[in-house]
Amino acid sequence: EPKVAAKPTAKTAVEPKKESKAPEPEPEPAKLEKKEEKVEEEAADDGNAFRPGDYVKARYHRDNSVSEAIILYRKGGREGADQEIYDVSWDQPEEGEQITSVLVNRIQLIRRGKKGTPEYDNVPLKPGDLVWALYLEDQKWYDAVLEKIDESGKTPMYTVKWDDPDPDTHSTLVRRDVKLRLRTW
């Protein structure tokens, strides 16, 4: 016996009720001007220049890949020209190349750093960063996590927790014995 298709049922579309919204009040002229001034100030701040602490994407010179980094300082070149050079600290650097010089036209701003951030003289580190640290017993580099930075003394000290804690779980080292492996901030 042949099957008969079911008769389609008529459905009536129900339009949702339209809620009447009161028009939003226009911003007060004084507040609007301040907001515009702040945006213009940020944009015109250093012209198109980068400043220390800016978070950027930059091209790595060896393989032309794009990676995230932090601007450390303006290194040289003619300001405002394509020859302007910045030193950057990669978020995930190679062990032997923690800092790289990059031409300005190979850098793209992700977000501005804090205004007034001083130039960095080394790769910036914060607790939680994954690092390579020098194990003083055998003078070899091993994976670790930076747990604490103590800047209370004359020389800042860096406490690391080893990934493989055999036999020690923690060591306190000077800055030259700690290299960034992966920035976590």
Side-chain angles (χ1 to χ4, degrees):
E1 186 173 308
K3 291 189 177 184
V4 179
K7 183 178 175 184
T9 58
K11 291 186 180 178
T12 56
V14 178
E15 289 192 30
K17 286 185 181 178
K18 291 184 180 177
E19 293 181 32
S20 60
K21 275 189 173 179
E24 292 185 21
E26 289 189 28
E28 296 174 29
K31 288 182 180 177
L32 189 60
E33 286 173 17
K34 284 182 182 176
K35 189 174 182 179
E36 287 173 358
E37 283 175 16
K38 188 175 181 179
V39 170
E40 286 175 16
E41 177 185 309
E42 184 67 25
D45 187 12
D46 294 325
N48 290 329
F50 298 103
R51 62 180 182 225
D54 283 353
Y55 198 64
V56 298
K57 285 184 180 178
R59 289 210 174 268
Y60 185 57
H61 65 93
R62 289 193 183 160
D63 62 6
N64 217 25
S65 64
V66 175
S67 297
E68 294 178 354
I70 292 177
I71 298 286
L72 301 178
Y73 53 86
R74 183 178 172 277
K75 187 172 186 175
R78 213 170 70 236
E79 196 166 346
D82 283 348
Q83 293 83 27
E84 197 170 359
I85 300 169
Y86 290 87
D87 271 2
V88 301
S89 166
W90 303 106
D91 277 3
Q92 195 169 357
E94 291 184 4
E95 187 175 352
E97 191 165 4
Q98 297 280 297
I99 297 173
T100 302
S101 298
V102 181
L103 285 168
V104 70
N105 62 358
R106 298 173 66 87
I107 302 172
Q108 177 186 2
L109 182 67
I110 295 174
R111 72 175 176 270
R112 280 285 190 196
K114 228 179 187 179
K115 195 171 185 176
T117 299
E119 291 185 348
Y120 295 99
D121 60 352
N122 206 331
V123 175
L125 295 173
K126 288 189 179 178
D129 285 346
L130 304 180
V131 297
W132 290 291
L134 184 64
Y135 188 62
L136 299 176
E137 296 291 320
D138 65 6
Q139 293 293 300
K140 291 184 181 177
W141 295 88
Y142 295 97
D143 294 346
V145 175
L146 180 61
E147 288 205 333
K148 183 173 104 177
I149 302 172
D150 180 3
E151 298 185 70
S152 63
K154 191 174 184 177
T155 302
M157 299 303 290
Y158 296 77
T159 301
V160 298
K161 180 178 181 189
W162 302 104
D163 283 0
D164 180 12
D166 184 31
D168 302 320
T169 57
H170 291 79
S171 291
T172 301
L173 305 164
V174 294
R175 178 63 181 92
R176 72 175 173 271
D177 295 338
V178 180
K179 294 180 181 180
L180 179 67
R181 180 167 47 111
L182 176 64
R183 185 171 289 119
T184 59
W185 42 282

